[in-house]
Amino acid sequence: DDRGDKMRSALVIYEYGADESSYPGIQSVEDPDVQNGVPIPWGAMSGLAAGDGSTLYAVDDSAYKMSSIFSIDASSSPASLFKRTHITDANGVFAAVAPQGEFDAADLQAMINEDGTVNIDSEGIAVDPAGGFFVVSEGRGTVGDEDRPIESLNFLFKTDMAGGIEKGVV
């Protein structure tokens, strides 16, 4: 792992065996916003948290715009991704973040879409026992590096169950 060379480490474990693979491990159901048999799109999951019973919650990485929280029913195999909730800034909490250092108003504006959905780099999620979620977003860029300027900061968001941002911490 050498940050200076922009080479980051990863660990992936594979198992070779004679048994038949049990794929898929997760599948999505019909998207209620689209219907006609089209499943809820998902990918690049980067965070997972346990909810009540067999419900899991996941977030997607910055590979997608309109960041989302996914609800998964893990009571059967394969698990079923049954709901996609977009993270939104309907109350202007995220939009009110003051620019800091190299992170300017244009960088912030690029992270909030016209419809109020947000484009963050979700890396983790936790269920708040009092309701809603905590979602962490990884920043992008390196202070003082002209080749990799700051485009976003690290954020911790508190959302309600509908994905609305209630609080944000830089």
Side-chain angles (χ1 to χ4, degrees):
D1 187 26
D2 187 346
R3 186 171 180 89
D5 289 339
K6 296 183 174 67
M7 177 66 74
R8 302 309 301 218
S9 65
L11 175 64
V12 181
I13 300 173
Y14 295 94
E15 178 182 341
Y16 179 77
D19 296 339
E20 187 173 320
S21 298
S22 58
Y23 294 102
I26 186 171
Q27 63 185 12
S28 63
V29 300
E30 183 176 313
D31 189 338
D33 297 329
V34 178
Q35 298 178 358
N36 297 325
V38 176
I40 297 170
W42 65 278
M45 297 287 186
S46 60
L48 185 68
D52 292 334
S54 60
T55 301
L56 303 174
Y57 297 99
V59 289
D60 53 2
D61 195 76
S62 63
Y64 300 98
K65 301 250 183 214
M66 298 175 65
S67 302
S68 300
I69 298 170
F70 297 95
S71 300
I72 301 166
D73 178 359
S75 65
S76 61
S77 183
S80 179
L81 187 149
F82 66 90
K83 184 177 178 184
R84 174 181 58 185
T85 303
H86 291 299
I87 300 172
T88 62
D89 189 36
N91 297 320
V93 173
F94 190 21
V97 169
Q100 298 181 21
E102 297 175 31
F103 180 73
D104 61 22
D107 293 326
L108 179 61
Q109 185 177 15
M111 298 177 76
I112 304 170
N113 301 312
E114 288 185 25
D115 64 358
T117 57
V118 300
N119 308 318
I120 61 176
D121 189 2
S122 305
E123 295 296 334
I125 182 170
V127 177
D128 181 355
F133 305 97
F134 290 100
V135 177
V136 65
S137 176
E138 176 181 47
R140 181 175 34 246
T142 303
V143 174
D145 185 343
E146 292 179 9
D147 295 329
R148 196 166 184 266
I150 299 293
E151 295 176 19
S152 68
L153 303 174
N154 296 319
F155 291 98
L156 173 63
F157 296 107
K158 167 65 174 86
T159 74
D160 58 23
M161 289 300 289
I165 297 173
E166 296 177 330
K167 294 180 184 176
V169 177
V170 178

